[in-house]
Amino acid sequence: MINRRIVLAARPQGHAGLEHFRLERTELPPLAPGQVLVRHHYLSLDPYMRTRMDAAKSYAPAVEVGEPMVGRTVGEIVESRHDRYSAGELVADMGGWQEYAVVDATVKGALNRLDTARVPLSAWLGPAGMPGITAWIGLHKFIEPKAGETIVVDAASGAVGSIVGQLVKAAGCRAVGLAGGAAKCAHVREELGFDACIDYKAHRDFASLAAALDAAAPIGVDGCFENVGGLIFDVVLSRMNAFGRIALCGMISGYDQPAAPIANPKLLLTQRLRLQGFIVSEHPELWGRARDELADGIASGRIRYRESIAQGIENAPAAFLGMLAGANFGKQLVKLI
Amino acid sequence: MINRRIVLAARPQGHAGLEHFRLERTELPPLAPGQVLVRHHYLSLDPYMRTRMDAAKSYAPAVEVGEPMVGRTVGEIVESRHDRYSAGELVADMGGWQEYAVVDATVKGALNRLDTARVPLSAWLGPAGMPGITAWIGLHKFIEPKAGETIVVDAASGAVGSIVGQLVKAAGCRAVGLAGGAAKCAHVREELGFDACIDYKAHRDFASLAAALDAAAPIGVDGCFENVGGLIFDVVLSRMNAFGRIALCGMISGYDQPAAPIANPKLLLTQRLRLQGFIVSEHPELWGRARDELADGIASGRIRYRESIAQGIENAPAAFLGMLAGANFGKQLVKLI
């Protein structure tokens, strides 16, 4: 059986482009005992994947040149040589950018069965999956919102930010988003229920963006869920109230080019701020609670989400690069069947 | 009775200089009921005072032009109109840069009686006072050292840093200091017992300073007690291990000029670091325990310290400016009698 996959063709020096990816066709090997074969329905595309293309030290090993890109996937077991798994079951796995994956089912956590009666299959890669859980942990463990506070999240229409804002509202706080363009901002306010959303593309310098934030957050900012970095972070930092908390989840502005410096770090001291960098996989003790709450919210319709879906593994690189540039609208997926 | 004091003559635009201070002679008013008159023996000079000279938003109000500079003092009550205080008692107060202060003793915390049987009077402004307690709280509350870890502190021969390193050693950790010049570094290693001390003046660029830190902290840095900011912080940040903690206590490099940016903030994310800005006065619940432990250490000789003492209130501005430039060696005081 033929498997199609995307491998890292070369490491980017600066901006990533299509030339750094290559489509390959490989023959799937026969299963060994304990293995299962998963046919992927959806591949999740996430900003962190850009950091894996570099050789630089990060929290996870780099993808080797010639190896498939890493990524979270959901799909159906089509063949099993493990007693506890059967063909036809729907599962999530770290299958990578490919149509099929051979998974060693004896490894704890390698496969997770999915309940698709209440939550659609694709949502297990978005609001009920890693992005939603990232939002939940960043907000509840690190920002610790108190009712009445103002919490700012950038990339607010994205897979993580969109959930952050809805959880902020549920916590009784003011949710202020930043997103690129009027359409995304309208979605953030009207569909997701944020109190305000700033179109950062309409505010290209510090003074302009700061004035917009002052209007959206008139009593200052108590919590910041940071996905972007750069100018946006500098502006939010300048408006933080004393004892504010910053959950540093991503710095997408610095993934494809040198990370912009923090211009005025003295504010971290004078405002007695707490900043915590985190990655969701290191807080497994909270996954069960977060996933249950998110799945309940999705099933009941309280949590809303939007997906951008590319079709076919061959289109994964373009969809990924588009996402890095902000072209997606909600969770970016690739449909593989 | 005549009181001599130093007032803020003008706000600095950039570097502070002698022209921003003025010596005044004033007549002390008669005491009102509830007041006591304290004759100061020592004035503490501390880096935070530079931030109070600016009008910019900070955690404490600016000193007004024409008003005395703020500061912690120790001295003797020479006259009292409060039942609970008597002439001859030794006390600490926020008396400011002046020879005498009229203190409203009815205000809780305005006066603290001092035990000078075990701890010398001046030490209540240094290792047993605000600087020592700052060291204790920053280390134990925010860095939370675990035995075997490596903790870095800059301004290591200063009033705060010198105590940080000794507490780091007591916690079973490796203490690495940075200080300016061979004499200070020798003191930090030989008198204070740090495992290593880097002369930052001998390493003027990132690569050179980083190589020195690699030698001093061969398995990386788990905790950083930050007093300086700028290049030193950028280098320490680049050597932080995963899950490291940064207690942001000061950014003296940015007090007298624009604060240097954090060059590579992405490290805060990729290393999942926690950074906490703090000021000691906001953690009163820990003062008692910290002060008791520090006083015990001083009385027993386990905690060592050094003082730089200027003579006379008229020399306070020069001593203060020297301290900002690193000319002091240990706790900077002004002796006023």
Side-chain angles (χ1 to χ4, degrees), chain A residues 34-265:
Chain A
Q35 290 182 334
V36 305
L37 180 65
V38 181
R39 183 182 185 192
H40 295 147
H41 290 208
Y42 292 98
L43 162 67
S44 174
L45 294 179
D46 301 279
Y48 76 84
M49 295 164 170
R50 175 63 188 83
T51 67
R52 304 286 182 93
M53 299 172 72
D54 295 329
K57 177 182 179 185
S58 185
Y59 45 75
V63 174
E64 295 299 326
V65 173
E67 290 297 306
M69 288 289 293
V70 294
R72 193 92 181 144
T73 39
V74 292
E76 181 182 351
I77 294 176
V78 290
E79 188 185 343
S80 174
R81 292 195 65 188
H82 190 288
D83 291 346
R84 308 262 304 279
Y85 293 94
S86 311
E89 290 190 294
L90 296 170
V91 292
D93 63 324
M94 279 298 292
W97 294 26
Q98 51 186 347
E99 294 176 319
Y100 291 87
V102 173
V103 180
D104 182 352
T106 65
V107 174
K108 188 169 147 60
L111 287 175
N112 291 100
R113 280 193 191 80
L114 301 176
D115 167 14
T116 54
R118 298 165 69 227
V119 173
L121 183 62
S122 63
W124 289 107
L125 292 176
M130 187 270 284
I133 295 168
T134 299
W136 195 98
I137 289 176
L139 183 68
H140 288 300
K141 183 174 172 75
F142 297 120
I143 294 180
E144 301 182 285
K146 292 184 278 292
E149 290 188 328
T150 296
I151 314 293
V152 172
V153 56
D154 49 19
S157 71
V160 174
S162 61
I163 305 301
V164 171
Q166 296 181 77
L167 297 177
V168 164
K169 289 304 299 174
C173 296
R174 180 172 178 83
V176 175
L178 293 111
K184 285 183 179 176
C185 283
H187 169 71
V188 166
R189 280 190 302 264
E190 291 155 27
E191 297 289 317
L192 303 178
F194 283 55
D195 296 286
C197 189
I198 298 164
D199 176 6
Y200 70 83
K201 291 185 176 175
H203 301 282
R204 294 291 192 178
D205 60 53
F206 188 99
S208 173
L209 193 56
L213 183 56
D214 285 340
I219 55 170
V221 177
D222 302 295
C224 166
F225 194 109
E226 186 55 45
N227 295 306
V228 176
L231 175 64
I232 289 177
F233 183 62
D234 279 337
V235 169
V236 176
L237 185 60
S238 76
R239 266 53 188 176
M240 293 290 290
N241 292 325
F243 311 112
R245 291 84 59 199
I246 300 159
L248 184 59
C249 174
M251 299 200 89
I252 196 170
S253 72
Y255 289 174
D256 213 28
Q257 53 194 341
I262 296 176
N264 189 4

Side-chain angles (χ1 to χ4, degrees), chain B residues 58-80:
Chain B
S58 187
Y59 46 73
V63 174
E64 296 299 325
V65 173
E67 291 297 306
M69 288 289 293
V70 295
R72 193 96 183 141
T73 40
V74 292
E76 181 182 351
I77 294 176
V78 290
E79 188 185 344
S80 174

Side-chain angles (χ1 to χ4, degrees), chain B residues 11 48 51-64 70:
Chain B
R11 296 205 190 283
Y48 77 84
T51 68
R52 303 287 182 92
M53 298 173 73
D54 294 329
K57 177 181 178 184
S58 187
Y59 46 73
V63 174
E64 296 299 325
V70 295

Side-chain angles (χ1 to χ4, degrees), chain A residues 262-314:
Chain A
I262 296 176
N264 189 4
K266 198 162 61 172
L267 292 165
L268 295 162
L269 172 62
T270 55
Q271 296 297 82
R272 294 86 87 204
L273 304 180
R274 182 177 75 200
L275 181 153
Q276 175 78 57
F278 77 102
I279 62 172
V280 63
S281 56
E282 291 171 343
H283 304 280
E285 73 285 359
L286 295 171
W287 276 61
R289 183 175 160 203
R291 191 156 40 193
D292 289 350
E293 287 188 21
L294 292 161
D296 284 350
I298 293 162
S300 71
R302 274 183 290 112
I303 291 182
R304 309 184 70 161
Y305 61 100
R306 186 158 173 163
E307 298 172 334
S308 286
I309 302 181
Q311 179 62 47
I313 191 68
E314 65 277 15

